[in-house]
Amino acid sequence: MHVGAGRTGLSSSVGPASFYTSLNGGRRHTSTGRRPTAGSLQRQMAQAQRAAAQAEKAAEAGRLASAFMQILDLHRAEFPLAPAPVAAPVPPPELSAFLAPREQQALAGIGTFQRKARAEAKQRARQAAEADMQHWWMQANAERDRYQGELNHQWQRLCGNDPEMVMPVLAEAFEDNEAPAVPVALNGSEVSLVILAPGPDFVPERFPSRTTAGNISLKKLTKTERASYYTLTLCGYLLVTLREAFAVAPGLSAARAVVLRTDRIDAYGRAQVSCMLAGHFERRSFDGVRWDAVNAATVVNDTSDNLMINQKGAAKEPYPLDLRFEPELQALVNAVDITELTAR
């Protein structure tokens, strides 16, 4: 909301375009002391309604711009490579924590005015407290070293692609993903992943733009444009899952990935899914990718060495793959608990 010199207006700068609409219809009306006529009231009401409609349109344009930017940026999420775990250092102990109980013990039975005896007792207490502190320090560091040894062992197992380490780490990493994903199998250093992407309705029907006169327009997407954005959605969710997998499991060298979508819920309440995209990706193929400069479909096409996608018609609309002739992909899909995956 902009308030100040000139007109008061509402602005949205989300996404690739910014939108602005004035909330004041025109010149200011100065008070003349006259009572407004019915005609002037109607004009003011119409003006207020137009301003409200423009503000609502601007808000919808901002929401749509945000939705399209989300699609375009799906594959650009960054995941730093997991570092080797390091146990926290033991904080240096405070002598006072050990001195107080030792002094209490040493001064027991010594009168307040027995100054020499109390001084000697305090000296003995301090020596004992220093010995206690040193003993605690050695034990704490020994425990820390033992824990670091456990972390090193777990790290070696993770980097060595031990399934009992890699699979839980991947499952935990995928738990908060917007598109549910699960690791299905680990064969050497190659993992098999299944991702559940949203359906075509995820792509809005209208796109925010401006007319030649500068007015906000919510243009309806063509079938080709909507199909293109849906392809970017499928590729985006595939890539963000692969990037996260390679980041949290440093020993992985490759991944086979399948992207599913829910088509319908049958009469028994079970989700019926279709396979929309599949591919094989080497970790090294992601080296040097200009993530901010290219879209998700280009990255998928250029990094996969066995890409399967079924696009039909002039619009190149994505259609489900026919798995009757792809027994390996069908087996991969069958290995997933679809009910659990769709419930996330």
Side-chain angles (χ1 to χ4, degrees):
M1 180 70 74
H2 303 275
V3 180
R7 297 182 178 182
T8 299
L10 181 69
S11 173
S12 171
S13 59
V14 179
S18 77
F19 310 93
Y20 178 85
T21 180
S22 171
L23 298 184
N24 290 339
R27 69 181 62 180
R28 298 180 180 179
H29 294 277
T30 58
S31 176
T32 62
R34 299 177 182 177
R35 297 181 62 185
T37 64
S40 66
L41 286 175
Q42 289 178 350
R43 286 192 296 273
Q44 290 176 19
M45 290 179 62
Q47 187 179 30
Q49 289 173 350
R50 287 195 298 271
Q54 283 294 315
E56 184 177 351
K57 199 171 188 179
E60 177 65 6
R63 186 191 67 79
L64 290 173
S66 179
F68 281 106
M69 286 305 299
Q70 179 188 0
I71 292 173
L72 294 174
D73 286 341
L74 281 171
H75 67 298
R76 297 187 172 117
E78 295 285 346
F79 299 95
L81 190 65
V86 178
V90 180
E94 294 288 341
L95 180 61
S96 58
F98 301 88
L99 185 58
R102 282 294 189 177
E103 281 191 348
Q104 184 179 7
Q105 180 183 9
L107 294 173
I110 301 178
T112 305
F113 299 103
Q114 295 177 277
R115 295 180 179 178
K116 182 178 180 180
R118 290 180 68 84
E120 292 174 349
K122 286 184 177 181
Q123 182 63 29
R124 292 194 300 272
R126 186 177 186 85
Q127 292 173 353
E130 289 175 348
D132 292 343
M133 184 178 68
Q134 186 65 25
H135 180 68
W136 180 90
W137 178 253
M138 292 177 62
Q139 282 192 324
N141 277 283
E143 179 63 22
R144 189 257 181 197
D145 292 343
R146 183 195 65 78
Y147 180 54
Q148 182 64 59
E150 292 181 1
L151 293 178
N152 292 342
H153 181 60
Q154 293 174 3
W155 178 251
Q156 291 170 0
R157 291 174 62 195
L158 180 65
C159 294
N161 294 311
D162 182 339
E164 293 184 1
M165 284 296 299
V166 175
M167 301 298 275
V169 165
L170 290 173
E172 182 179 358
F174 295 157
E175 279 184 357
D176 60 350
N177 287 15
E178 188 173 337
V182 291
V184 178
L186 183 63
N187 182 16
S189 62
E190 179 180 295
V191 69
S192 296
L193 306 173
V194 172
I195 303 116
L196 183 65
D201 291 341
F202 183 78
V203 179
E205 294 183 351
R206 296 185 177 275
F207 188 87
S209 61
R210 283 193 178 274
T211 65
T212 54
N215 297 320
I216 296 173
S217 172
L218 303 180
K219 185 191 73 169
K220 188 170 183 179
L221 291 178
T222 65
K223 187 175 182 180
T224 299
E225 290 170 334
R226 203 149 186 246
S228 176
Y229 274 109
Y230 186 56
T231 300
L232 290 176
T233 300
L234 297 175
C235 293
Y237 279 122
L238 167 64
L239 289 173
V240 74
T241 305
L242 289 171
R243 295 187 73 182
E244 186 173 24
F246 287 144
V248 301
L252 295 177
S253 65
R256 283 197 311 155
V258 170
V259 181
L260 308 179
R261 81 172 183 202
T262 302
D263 283 336
R264 68 183 183 91
I265 305 298
D266 66 17
Y268 302 97
R270 296 173 301 202
Q272 300 298 309
V273 298
S274 295
C275 180
M276 302 302 299
L277 180 63
H280 181 268
F281 300 83
E282 297 282 344
R283 174 193 287 272
R284 62 188 178 187
S285 68
F286 284 3
D287 294 342
V289 170
R290 299 172 62 202
W291 298 101
D292 291 336
V294 292
N295 65 44
T298 299
V299 177
V300 167
N301 276 310
D302 292 348
T303 58
S304 175
D305 53 27
N306 185 20
L307 181 64
M308 297 180 64
I309 185 171
N310 183 20
Q311 294 175 299
K312 294 183 178 180
K316 293 189 177 299
E317 187 175 358
Y319 276 80
L321 298 172
D322 189 347
L323 299 186
R324 291 176 300 174
F325 308 105
E326 302 293 339
E328 290 187 4
L329 285 182
Q330 185 65 69
L332 183 57
V333 174
N334 292 341
V336 179
D337 186 341
I338 298 298
T339 302
E340 180 182 351
L341 186 64
T342 55
R344 295 187 180 187

